Amino acid sequence: MSIAPTTPKRASKRVLPGFNLTLGYTLLYLSLIVLIPLSALVLKTFTLTWEQFWAAVASPRVVAAYQLTFGASLIAALVNVVFGLLVAWVLVRYPFPGKKVVDAMVDLPFALPTAVAGIALTALLADNGWIGSLLAPYGIQLAFNRNGIVIALIFISLPFVVRTVQPVLEDMEKELEEAATCLGASRWQTFRHVIFPTIAPALLTGFAMAFARAVGEYGSVIFIAGNMPMVSEITPLIIIGKLEQYDYAGATAVATVMLLISFVLLMLINALQAWQRRRSGAQS
Amino acid sequence: MHLKQKTKLALAVIALAASNFVAAQTTLLNVSYDVSREFYKDINAAFIANYKKTTGKDIKIDQSHAGSSAQARAVNDGLDADVVTMNTTTDVDFLAGNGVVAKDWTKKFPSNAAPTSSTMLFLVRNGNPKGIKDWDDLIKPGVQVVVVNPKTGGNGRMAYLAAWGSVRAKGGTDAQAAEFVAKLYKNVPVLAKGGRDATTIFLQRNIGDALITFESEVVSVDNEFGAGKVDAIHPSSSIVAENPVAVVERTVAKKGTADQARAYLNFLYTDEAQEIAAKHAIRPSNPAILKKYASTFKPIKLFTAADYFGSFSEAQKVHFNDGGQFDKLYTVK
């Protein structure tokens, strides 16, 4: 059994004055910026009958696109959990010349127009690009297929993992690790039992944000994907394709499905995080 | 003293406002498709000079370019274009259906309101190493063809219809045409998103042996990548792609620019404008000028969408809408 936190209950003295006012403002702002635009999207799909809706969102091409979008985003987010953690670790723990520059570089995918990322990656990875031309003789093709999509998604979602893990690593008390070493723990045991539980919630948050960002990505992917139906078409491209046919309702139907899946996934990850926090809170 | 300063200030403000008023000239917005950017740059310069000469007034033309149907959607959703100049009639029909342009827009200007047209042909690499001469060469094994995805670009829809129609033009049936098109798309390594995207993939990424695109893209490629990198191949038959124009009634009623908008579109039919079109490898509707540039516009058997598909909107329904012919050809592996 863990010991319940024993913070003494204070009289409801809040830092911000006028709680009702600020809550009201928050709800209004969220409604205007997020809720109303999204409900407009859902309303537009209501112009379809149930059969039309189903035909629009469940055709083989569209289902293949969902699988690709969520699958590639999952792979990209997982890759970034490992390598983003590594980048954050190096940036926090080791001094080296040019560290400030490297640190700033992590944010580049944030700020860069995604189309620029797409063009740059394609130029690099196409069969006549710097990297692509080295791999082409071995039959490895990175651009214009699913590999290209995953690479583009890894690129644009990297900062999310690094930037959520970095501050937690910085705040970690060195004494804990020293104590672990004094008690005879190996490096691996220290990582597993001391470091990892501390950064796990941040890592999970970073993963969720990277995943969400990748699911919504359009600009960089269309340049590198090859955009073949059933093979390398991401869902946002399906939406654009439907708009090109002036099929507004069909496009919003697919968009609504995306919205729903993303929302459910984010809720799941939130719940997972809450569980993780409770667990690690109980341990310390 | 104080009063004098105030008067001075007031006068200055009035003068500024007045000068602003005088300088306020009419501005037209031409909303057009992606690859017509360079063409309309030249047209606008010529029209502004012409307008000044004939009316003594200054006029300014703003340009907006993107994918043809994306542009049509923007205008439909409220972009204040005075005129639209598109590359498929479907896009203007869509605007007419929503009451943004006149219902009978095809009758408002000569030759079905299409001052220019284009057709689809092939670009191959310099010297034509794979010996591509006609449609049949595109389905040979080992030939890679770059085209635009018909789902995302008008250029791609034209290429598809041109390929389909080429079989019909030889007396083939629709079933044979379907078989041919299916074979053709098996040779496609990358489906580009739009016309320019396809050109980039073909020339900058060096993918594919042939690119199916608009005739006018030849000039753009020569300008952008240097002459002699590609050869234009005129197949035995191809499709006519009219470039329709229309006045956006909703905007001109609001802005009071109906006369200027009409003058601008009428200018496209003048010899001067038709010559400019020919120089951009866009086919002029004036037969005399078309003939004058016969070296650019090599003889080719042209068919219209009406010949084999009823109309473009009919073709859209049968071939490109979800579950249509294109989906069937592509989903069956």
Side-chain angles (χ1 to χ4, degrees):
Chain A
M1 265 309 267
S2 62
I3 306 152
T6 52
T7 339
K9 263 201 182 150
R10 274 196 283 173
S12 65
K13 252 193 177 170
R14 295 187 175 98
V15 179
L16 269 182
F19 171 70
N20 292 335
L21 189 71
T22 43
L23 179 69
Y25 172 75
T26 305
L27 288 181
L28 176 73
Y29 191 77
L30 269 180
S31 301
L32 281 177
I33 299 292
V34 182
L35 221 56
I36 292 176
L38 289 183
S39 42
L41 180 79
V42 177
L43 276 179
K44 187 105 192 172
T45 53
F46 282 153
T47 56
L48 294 171
T49 66
W50 176 246
E51 283 78 25
Q52 285 171 321
F53 176 81
W54 189 249
V57 302
S59 78
R61 247 182 88 222
V62 181
V63 172
Y66 297 138
Q67 283 169 350
L68 176 64
T69 300
F70 287 102
S73 301
L74 188 70
I75 297 172
L78 286 175
V79 167
N80 274 333
V81 162
V82 177
F83 292 96
L85 172 61
L86 219 67
V87 171
W89 184 268
V90 169
L91 284 176
V92 171
R93 288 300 170 93
Y94 304 108
F96 57 89
K99 185 171 162 175
K100 283 236 165 73
V101 180
V102 174
D103 196 44
M105 248 160 47
V106 170
D107 280 334
L108 260 184
F110 260 145
L112 209 64
T114 52
V116 176
I119 293 167
L121 286 173
T122 316
L124 201 62
L125 300 176
D127 283 356
N128 64 347
W130 285 354
I131 295 177
S133 60
L134 297 178
L135 296 173
Y138 304 100
I140 304 169
Q141 204 194 349
L142 292 182
F144 305 116
N145 57 18
R146 292 179 171 186
N147 299 337
I149 299 178
V150 173
I151 292 171
L153 293 182
I154 291 174
F155 177 85
I156 53 107
S157 61
L158 171 73
F160 291 86
V161 174
V162 179
R163 288 302 182 229
T164 41
V165 174
Q166 211 174 359
V168 181
L169 273 178
E170 265 162 9
D171 286 352
M172 248 176 67
E173 290 165 65
K174 252 202 136 144
E175 289 80 0
L176 287 177
E177 280 173 69
E178 284 164 4
T181 316
C182 288
L183 290 170
S186 68
R187 295 296 293 157
W188 172 242
Q189 280 174 320
T190 313
F191 179 79
R192 225 170 75 86
H193 296 293
V194 179
I195 300 171
F196 188 73
T198 320
I199 57 170
L203 211 51
L204 206 59
T205 310
F207 166 78
M209 293 211 291
F211 179 70
R213 177 72 183 78
V215 165
E217 177 58 15
Y218 174 70
S220 62
V221 173
I222 50 153
F223 287 98
I224 203 167
N227 305 325
M228 310 287 280
M230 306 296 291
V231 179
S232 53
E233 247 183 350
I234 54 166
T235 323
L237 188 72
I238 295 270
I239 296 174
I240 297 283
K242 285 193 181 293
L243 284 177
E244 288 286 320
Q245 304 160 33
Y246 300 115
D247 182 5
Y248 283 79
T252 47
V254 175
T256 306
V257 171
M258 285 291 282
L259 184 71
L260 215 71
I261 301 177
S262 303
F263 190 70
V264 168
L265 280 173
L266 286 180
M267 290 288 281
L268 268 177
I269 291 166
N270 256 349
L272 203 65
Q273 257 174 304
W275 172 77
Q276 170 75 31
R277 220 172 288 133
R278 244 178 295 128
R279 213 182 59 126
S280 61
Q283 268 183 353
S284 61
Chain B
M1 190 66 169
H2 223 82
L3 196 73
K4 217 172 167 186
Q5 263 180 344
K6 266 188 184 168
T7 341
K8 255 188 185 166
L9 193 71
L11 275 176
V13 168
I14 291 167
L16 200 72
S19 70
N20 226 345
F21 194 74
V22 172
Q25 56 188 0
T26 315
T27 304
L28 294 180
L29 174 60
N30 175 9
V31 169
S32 190
Y33 56 97
D34 223 348
V35 296
S36 65
R37 195 173 280 106
E38 295 82 9
F39 169 56
Y40 277 107
K41 212 188 259 167
D42 290 355
I43 286 285
N44 291 344
F47 174 70
I48 288 166
N50 179 286
Y51 195 75
K52 179 86 181 167
K53 210 163 64 193
T54 50
T55 64
K57 284 184 201 141
D58 285 317
I59 194 159
K60 197 167 160 270
I61 316 281
D62 288 335
Q63 290 173 261
S64 159
H65 297 271
S68 193
S69 41
Q71 292 289 72
R73 284 200 307 279
V75 172
N76 180 56
D77 296 348
L79 176 63
D80 274 337
D82 296 276
V83 296
V84 286
T85 53
M86 298 301 191
N87 63 8
T88 37
T89 47
T90 328
D91 297 325
V92 189
D93 280 335
F94 164 70
L95 292 174
N98 289 340
V100 178
V101 307
K103 286 260 183 288
D104 57 342
W105 63 273
T106 50
K107 302 209 173 60
K108 299 269 180 188
F109 294 96
S111 28
N112 282 330
T116 57
S117 65
S118 191
T119 186
M120 306 306 288
L121 43 76
F122 318 149
L123 296 189
V124 297
R125 306 205 178 275
N126 189 18
N128 197 1
K130 297 257 169 141
I132 293 161
K133 291 267 167 263
D134 206 349
W135 289 101
D136 287 332
D137 297 320
L138 296 182
I139 60 166
K140 283 183 180 157
V143 173
Q144 289 197 318
V145 186
V146 175
V147 290
V148 175
N149 187 343
K151 291 273 185 181
T152 58
N155 183 316
R157 288 191 277 275
M158 287 296 175
Y160 173 102
L161 294 177
W164 188 286
S166 74
V167 177
R168 295 290 310 276
K170 283 189 300 190
T173 62
D174 273 330
Q176 284 167 327
E179 197 186 324
F180 175 80
V181 171
K183 270 189 197 150
L184 176 64
Y185 280 87
K186 282 216 173 68
N187 277 353
V188 173
V190 177
L191 279 179
K193 196 184 146 284
R196 272 295 147 83
D197 190 25
T199 307
T200 309
I201 288 170
F202 184 66
L203 275 153
Q204 229 147 32
R205 311 275 170 263
N206 233 1
I207 286 181
D209 304 304
L211 166 72
I212 308 180
T213 192
F214 281 115
E215 193 172 36
S216 54
E217 199 63 356
V218 180
V219 176
S220 309
V221 167
D222 283 352
N223 289 343
E224 287 300 312
F225 297 91
K229 283 205 87 171
V230 292
D231 295 347
I233 302 293
H234 290 70
S236 55
S237 69
S238 192
I239 196 165
V240 181
E242 289 180 322
N243 302 329
V245 299
V247 172
V248 180
E249 305 293 344
R250 188 190 62 199
T251 311
V252 296
K254 194 166 65 186
K255 280 171 64 181
T257 46
D259 292 339
Q260 290 92 332
R262 249 191 295 281
Y264 180 66
L265 293 186
N266 274 322
F267 178 76
L268 295 172
Y269 291 90
T270 61
D271 288 356
E272 189 184 1
Q274 296 271 303
E275 292 257 357
I276 294 173
K279 285 192 185 104
H280 283 90
I282 298 170
R283 291 183 178 236
S285 59
N286 182 329
I289 294 173
L290 183 66
K291 215 168 174 187
K292 190 172 150 196
Y293 288 88
S295 59
T296 313
F297 306 113
K298 293 207 178 88
I300 176 170
K301 188 179 163 194
L302 291 172
F303 51 84
T304 64
D307 289 342
Y308 302 125
F309 307 100
S311 67
F312 276 118
S313 33
E314 197 61 29
Q316 173 70 42
K317 254 184 254 154
V318 173
H319 291 273
F320 306 123
N321 278 1
D322 285 342
Q325 192 69 48
F326 177 71
D327 281 352
K328 280 181 202 147
L329 293 178
Y330 224 106
T331 319
V332 179
K333 290 265 151 146

